[in-house]
Amino acid sequence: MKVIHTRNALQEALRVYRGRGETVGFVPTMGALHAGHLALVKACREQAAHTVVSIFVNPVQFNDPQDFALYPRTLDDDLKLLDAYQTDLVFVPEVHEVYPEGTNELETYDLGSLETVLEGKFRPGHFQGVARVMRRLLEMIQPDVLVMGEKDYQQCLIVQQLLQIMHASVRFYMHPTVREADGLAMSSRNRRLLPDDRKKATLIYESLMYIRSHWRYMPFARLEAVVREQLQATGFVVDYVAIARSVDLQILQAPEDTEMRALIAATIQGVRLIDNMQINP
Ligand code: AMP
């Protein structure tokens, strides 16, 4: 496994693969790796001859400076895990390698209504930051396959839109959410949960399951209110509990004959958690 820090070294390593006509898969991450990330790496390895993983805590996508400062960084452990998963290249750039022009005046993308609902509404600027870093990483790596996680479903839609804007012919694979034994979606932020809050955090998963088994029998507004109240009673500050169309995340007030998805974002003791689940077969 090669650990690479610069654009130039990355180009050099990729040129070797390209010269042999071998495919490249890419898994972008912010590090603090867990079994969810590693499942993506494994899936990537099955779909391309070479796997590139990036570890970059992208300052441009954090709307909350405190969240950026507290984001877990565990590079030594991450590299050991990636080595054990037979990663070919790990790209660990400094900020100026990704943004040689600086991070002050960056381009803006037309991300449509995806930018103003759910995560977009509660984290202003976040998805512009995601699009900016992803465009740069995709241009540098030019992967054949891009692997991202359903846990960040809205992010997957944003990146799919970016691929269209870029006219990039990358195969996009969305990996199902990897969960702990009690259902909590794995997340780098889970490390910041105190033991008591870690136990409570499983309520987010249980709430999604509750919505999945009750949406046929309760008006959506009532269902969302019940779930919201229960989360609040347990100590969460709730950003949203919503049911939306999977294809474009249009918020729904009543069932539709399309794929529907429940999505929740809530904070416990300063740790913000998100999760989502398809609710109809
Ligand atoms: P992050 O390091 O949080 O930016 O995540 C890097 C990639 O891993 C993103 O595509 C995430 O959606 C994905 N990911 C994070 N947690 C999980 C999980 N529990 N299951 C599946 N994919 C995940």
Side-chain angles (χ1 to χ4, degrees):
M1 184 178 83
K2 272 197 195 133
V3 182
I4 287 176
H5 298 278
T6 67
R7 243 171 215 270
N8 288 343
L10 179 67
Q11 299 310 340
E12 220 167 279
L14 289 169
R15 228 182 343 257
V16 175
Y17 303 153
R18 298 286 180 215
R20 296 194 223 122
E22 293 162 351
T23 54
V24 171
F26 175 39
V27 183
T29 83
M30 299 202 296
L33 301 183
H34 50 66
H37 294 114
L38 296 172
L40 268 58
V41 173
K42 185 162 177 281
C44 187
R45 251 178 43 212
E46 288 162 4
Q47 297 180 45
H50 298 281
T51 295
V52 180
V53 175
S54 62
I55 298 179
F56 180 60
V57 185
N58 174 34
V60 170
Q61 75 185 64
F62 283 82
N63 52 313
D64 174 1
Q66 176 84 342
D67 190 25
F68 177 66
L70 292 177
Y71 200 84
R73 289 157 169 95
T74 59
L75 185 60
D76 290 349
D77 290 348
D78 292 350
L79 294 178
K80 280 186 204 132
L81 288 169
L82 291 174
D83 197 23
Y85 271 69
Q86 292 140 48
T87 307
D88 296 270
L89 297 183
V90 188
F91 183 45
V92 193
E94 295 287 341
V95 173
H96 65 85
E97 288 288 333
V98 179
Y99 300 99
E101 72 279 40
T103 54
N104 286 331
E105 283 173 37
L106 297 172
E107 76 285 6
T108 303
Y109 295 91
D110 179 5
L111 303 172
S113 60
L114 280 176
E115 203 186 344
T116 49
V117 292
L118 303 167
E119 287 302 285
K121 181 168 163 193
F122 285 90
R123 299 187 68 188
H126 169 63
F127 287 128
Q128 289 296 333
V130 169
R132 288 161 176 162
V133 74
M134 283 303 298
R135 196 203 85 203
R136 286 163 175 78
L137 292 171
L138 288 165
E139 281 177 357
M140 280 187 249
I141 295 164
Q142 308 219 348
D144 302 279
V145 183
L146 174 62
V147 181
M148 299 185 75
E150 184 178 3
K151 150 106 177 10
D152 300 282
Y153 183 81
Q154 192 169 1
Q155 172 170 271
C156 286
L157 295 190
I158 290 279
V159 171
Q160 284 170 347
Q161 185 150 338
L162 175 72
L163 292 174
Q164 281 187 9
I165 293 170
M166 292 173 64
H167 304 291
S169 61
V170 181
R171 194 153 65 79
F172 187 92
Y173 175 69
M174 184 169 76
H175 192 289
T177 302
V178 180
R179 299 181 179 282
E180 303 283 358
D182 66 358
L184 175 68
M186 290 190 182
S187 165
S188 305
R189 289 187 171 85
N190 293 351
R191 292 169 194 250
R192 291 181 43 216
L193 293 168
L194 299 171
D196 200 31
D197 299 329
R198 165 63 189 84
K199 279 191 212 131
K200 291 176 179 173
T202 186
L203 182 60
I204 294 185
Y205 169 73
E206 287 161 1
S207 300
L208 293 171
M209 293 295 281
Y210 183 84
I211 295 173
R212 193 167 84 167
S213 54
H214 286 74
W215 64 268
R216 289 171 206 276
Y217 316 109
M218 283 168 79
F220 283 5
R222 178 81 199 114
L223 185 52
E224 285 161 14
V226 167
V227 166
R228 178 181 283 269
E229 278 159 27
Q230 205 183 6
L231 285 162
Q232 284 167 345
T234 308
F236 285 93
V237 176
V238 179
D239 280 351
Y240 56 81
V241 174
I243 299 174
R245 228 185 254 155
S246 286
V247 66
D248 56 5
L249 290 181
Q250 180 109 351
I251 305 292
L252 297 175
Q253 311 299 338
E256 264 190 9
D257 196 15
T258 58
E259 190 186 302
M260 298 186 290
R261 188 167 291 269
L263 305 100
I264 294 178
T267 301
I268 188 149
Q269 296 293 330
V271 183
R272 187 173 184 278
L273 302 174
I274 62 170
D275 199 355
N276 71 89
M277 187 184 283
Q278 186 183 329
I279 57 169
N280 54 343

